[in-house]
Amino acid sequence: MEARYKKKNTCGTICLKYLLFLFNVLFWVAGGTVFAVGVWTVAEKSDYISLLNSTFYAASAYILIATGVIVVVTGLIGCCATLREMKNLLIVYFILLFCIFLLEIIAGVMAYMNYQKLDHELRQNLKWTMQHKYKQPGEDGVTQAVDKLQQEFKCCGSNSSLDWEAASVG
């Protein structure tokens, strides 16, 4: 009677188990990469964030960090659930995976719908900051960030060098 309840691991089951484990390792690595990009953005590109009037752009770096942590944790749950063959943990894993999938779809649709608006707003904010805060008293951080931005990207102004002419007139 005991043999009746014993698990039977066929070749297909074992292959699926390790394929799922491999997928989870890749998922974990992708989450770590997203986390690293978020940390890099905060650490290395925080000067550029100071050029913008909106906190939306600064928040996006922290959203990357949070997303990376969630994906890493989900990947670890998936690895543990796969190796230990724990049904309840697999259910939690698939629910988390489904939520991440829905959030990615929502973020993709929103980015696609608002791309032009965000691009225009970003250029306008940068232009306004350059015209009104560059080399102003108490705005040394903005001045350094603008100089660094133009040197690193070998550009002048937000759209073109005409942005500086508008600054000298105003």
Side-chain angles (χ1 to χ4, degrees):
M1 223 170 190
E2 289 179 31
R4 194 167 128 197
Y5 294 108
K6 193 172 182 180
K7 288 184 182 179
K8 186 175 180 183
N9 286 331
T10 63
C11 181
T13 305
I14 293 170
C15 286
L16 281 175
K17 177 180 176 178
Y18 287 106
L19 188 62
L20 184 59
F21 179 78
L22 178 65
F23 169 75
N24 284 310
V25 168
L26 294 175
F27 196 64
W28 181 79
V29 169
T33 303
V34 170
F35 175 78
V37 168
V39 170
W40 174 76
T41 302
V42 169
E44 294 292 321
K45 302 301 180 186
S46 60
D47 292 343
Y48 300 142
I49 292 173
S50 69
L51 296 176
L52 305 170
N53 292 335
S54 175
T55 59
F56 171 77
Y57 304 105
S60 64
Y62 294 106
I63 290 171
L64 282 176
I65 293 171
T67 302
V69 169
I70 291 168
V71 170
V72 165
V73 169
T74 302
L76 288 174
I77 289 172
C79 286
C80 292
T82 302
L83 289 178
R84 297 182 186 234
E85 297 180 15
M86 298 173 65
K87 185 178 179 181
N88 291 338
L89 204 53
L90 276 171
I91 292 170
V92 169
Y93 168 70
F94 283 115
I95 289 171
L96 287 171
L97 207 58
F98 183 72
C99 290
I100 290 170
F101 178 69
L102 287 178
L103 289 173
E104 285 178 351
I105 289 175
I106 291 168
V109 167
M110 288 179 64
Y112 179 75
M113 290 172 48
N114 294 315
Y115 172 73
Q116 295 294 332
K117 179 183 173 190
L118 289 174
D119 183 54
H120 177 72
E121 183 181 326
L122 179 62
R123 289 179 186 276
Q124 289 304 108
N125 282 341
L126 185 57
K127 183 178 176 181
W128 184 89
T129 300
M130 291 168 67
Q131 291 175 349
H132 294 92
K133 291 186 175 183
Y134 186 76
K135 291 195 175 181
Q136 296 298 315
E139 299 291 348
D140 294 334
V142 172
T143 301
Q144 290 173 356
V146 169
D147 291 343
K148 182 179 175 184
L149 176 80
Q150 293 185 125
Q151 289 172 358
E152 188 171 322
F153 291 104
K154 296 177 180 36
C155 63
C156 186
S158 174
N159 295 305
S160 69
S161 60
L162 297 176
D163 294 341
W164 292 112
E165 291 176 13
S168 61
V169 172

